[in-house]
């Protein structure tokens, strides 16, 4: 249950009939088990069933007194108890429980709609996908490759990451799309310093086409502001101009070490750091331009047959459903 989004907390419970003596007997058994004959406790009671003859404070007093009589070695501490004994009186039964186990929180997947997430093989984008799922987004994942320049092992690495993410959110569709021709055209016709921004604009256009087909309402990326040259404000604005969709960046203000901590906690880190290059890292310019202007981007992009390049990339799509 700690892998299910939308659960705030859960508890192991002992069930009692709607009788105060039965509730007290059950509470004594729970206290014996949890306190092992020593320590402090307090009782918190809730009466969802308003037909029950005792109100919440009276239930707490009765249960607390019964536990003290049965376990004379324990004592009450309402401020810092070793055990909080919770009693929840519902319509047909009462529940006694000794702890709350924290859940993931967030929203159930699908509650916030559908989006397209760009997934590389790095550390950041899997964490962004996880955070987007936590906010209730149902995701289609898109991975861009440039065979034969990227290896089959690099693709397998991405599939392994999706397997891990599926443990948190159920089976996930992975769309594999070739950008080899796009990279070749950008290399031939465009300034080297703008390669990454131009490639990312093409990726956004392709992802937007998929969103139109799959009824996605947003794009999700693993960008972290200022982390690399293509993630400055100017570069992000230039990339965002290539789509009419909302762009969600769950990691925008996160430090790298914080992102790594989450990656380790969710299980993606060890796979992400495997040394297999993706299409962006292989294509990175030696001196990337960090503050590109949109007019400059438009001029650099003018020699490209954008519409046909996007259509060819979309046509190359291979889709896999990965997970449990």
């Amino acid at each position: 249950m700690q892998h299910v989004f939308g659960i705030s907390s859960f508890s192991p419970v002992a069930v009692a009939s709607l009788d105060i003596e039965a509730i007290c007997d059950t509470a004594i058994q729970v206290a014996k088990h949890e306190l092992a004959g020593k320590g402090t406790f307090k009782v918190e009671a809730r009466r969802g069933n308003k037909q029950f003859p005792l109100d919440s404070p009276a239930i707490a007093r009765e249960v607390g007194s019964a536990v003290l009589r049965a376990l004379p070695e324990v004592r009450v501490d309402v401020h810092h108890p070793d055990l909080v004994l919770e009693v929840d009186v519902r319509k047909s039964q009462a529940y006694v429980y000794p702890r709350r186990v924290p859940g993931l929180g967030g929203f159930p997947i699908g509650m916030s709609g559908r989006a397209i997430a760009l997934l590389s093989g790095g550390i950041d984008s899997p964490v962004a996908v996880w955070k987007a799922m936590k906010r209730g987004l149902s995701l289609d994942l898109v991975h861009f490759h440039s065979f034969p320049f990227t290896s089959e092992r690099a693709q397998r690495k991405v599939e392994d990451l999706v397997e891990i993410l599926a443990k948190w959110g159920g089976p996930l569709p992975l769309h594999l799309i070739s950008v080899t021709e796009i990279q070749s055209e950008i290399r031939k016709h465009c300034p080297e310093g703008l390669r990454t921004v131009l490639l990312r604009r093409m990726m956004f256009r392709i992802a937007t086409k998929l969103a139109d087909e799959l009824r996605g309402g947003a794009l999700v990326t693993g960008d972290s502001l200022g982390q690399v040259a293509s993630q400055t404000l100017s570069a992000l604005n230039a990339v965002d101009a290539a789509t009419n969709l909302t762009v969600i960046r769950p990691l925008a203000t996160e430090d790298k070490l914080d992102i790594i901590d989450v990656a380790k906690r969710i299980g993606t880190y060890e796979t992400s750091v495997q040394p297999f290059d993706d299409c962006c890292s292989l294509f990175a310019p030696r001196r990337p331009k960090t503050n590109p202007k949109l007019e400059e981007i438009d001029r650099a992009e003018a020699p490209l047959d954008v519409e046909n390049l996007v259509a060819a990339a979309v046509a190359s799509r291979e889709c896999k459903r990965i997970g449990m």
Side-chain angles (χ1 to χ4, degrees):
M1 291 178 72
Q2 285 184 306
H3 279 68
V4 179
F5 296 115
I7 295 176
S8 175
S9 66
F10 55 93
S11 302
V13 301
V15 181
S17 61
L18 290 179
D19 174 82
I20 191 60
E21 289 187 6
I23 293 171
C24 288
D25 289 342
T26 302
I28 290 168
Q29 295 307 311
V30 172
K32 283 181 177 178
H33 182 270
E34 295 294 324
L35 288 172
K38 59 183 178 180
T40 60
F41 78 102
K42 75 172 181 177
V43 179
E44 292 183 353
R46 281 173 298 282
R47 186 184 62 155
N49 178 0
K50 301 305 179 185
Q51 304 304 311
F52 193 76
L54 300 179
D55 62 13
S56 297
I59 295 169
R61 285 194 300 270
E62 291 290 333
V63 171
S65 297
V67 171
L68 285 172
R69 287 193 300 270
L71 303 172
E73 66 275 21
V74 305
R75 59 187 177 86
V76 172
D77 182 344
V78 297
H79 299 295
H80 304 288
D82 298 318
L83 171 68
V84 178
L85 203 56
E86 299 196 52
V87 180
D88 196 351
V89 178
R90 298 292 183 94
K91 184 176 181 179
S92 59
Q93 293 174 313
Y95 302 98
V96 181
Y97 46 100
R99 74 185 68 87
R100 296 189 182 206
V101 181
L104 286 173
F107 298 134
I109 289 178
M111 185 174 177
S112 299
R114 191 173 197 84
I116 307 297
L118 281 64
L119 180 69
S120 73
I123 295 170
D124 297 349
S125 60
V127 175
V129 166
W130 185 87
K131 285 181 172 281
M133 291 193 298
K134 183 177 180 180
R135 298 311 298 166
L137 282 172
S138 178
L139 298 177
D140 279 82
L141 310 182
V142 181
H143 175 69
F144 297 98
H145 64 80
S146 52
F147 290 140
F149 304 109
T150 52
S151 67
E152 290 186 12
R153 189 62 192 89
Q155 178 179 314
R156 182 59 205 166
K157 171 184 172 180
V158 171
E159 293 174 4
D160 290 343
L161 287 170
V162 180
E163 286 275 6
I164 296 167
L165 291 167
K167 294 176 183 177
W168 298 92
L172 288 163
L174 174 64
H175 304 267
L176 300 163
I177 294 179
S178 172
V179 289
T180 305
E181 184 180 1
I182 289 172
Q183 288 180 303
S184 176
E185 289 298 297
I186 290 174
R187 192 185 295 272
K188 285 179 189 175
H189 301 294
C190 304
E192 180 184 353
L194 295 175
R195 280 180 189 171
T196 302
V197 171
L198 294 174
L199 177 60
R200 285 175 58 79
R201 279 169 61 88
M202 297 296 276
M203 289 176 172
F204 270 39
R205 292 185 177 107
I206 295 164
T208 301
K209 289 284 188 185
L210 282 185
D212 291 343
E213 176 187 332
L214 301 171
R215 299 183 180 179
L219 304 183
V220 176
T221 79
D223 298 323
S224 177
L225 185 61
Q227 189 175 124
V228 293
S230 62
Q231 294 172 14
T232 63
L233 275 180
S234 296
L236 294 178
N237 285 332
V239 173
D240 287 0
T243 181
N244 60 352
L245 294 177
T246 297
V247 180
I248 298 172
R249 293 183 167 93
L251 310 183
T253 59
E254 299 283 338
D255 289 335
K256 188 68 175 186
L257 291 177
D258 295 330
I259 297 170
I260 289 172
D261 285 343
V262 177
K264 289 179 177 178
R265 178 158 57 88
I266 66 176
T268 56
Y269 179 77
E270 293 299 330
T271 302
S272 291
V273 296
Q274 292 175 6
F276 300 104
D277 289 328
D278 59 25
C279 61
C280 289
S281 57
L282 288 174
F283 191 62
R286 289 166 295 179
R287 296 181 182 84
K289 188 146 189 181
T290 59
N291 196 30
K293 300 293 186 290
L294 193 54
E295 314 84 68
E296 183 183 13
I297 294 290
D298 289 337
R299 287 195 301 272
E301 216 169 49
L304 302 177
D305 186 354
V306 170
E307 186 173 342
N308 284 331
L309 286 170
V310 169
V314 172
S316 76
R317 175 175 45 144
E318 175 189 358
C319 185
K320 299 184 176 186
R321 191 167 181 83
I322 297 176
M324 299 175 290

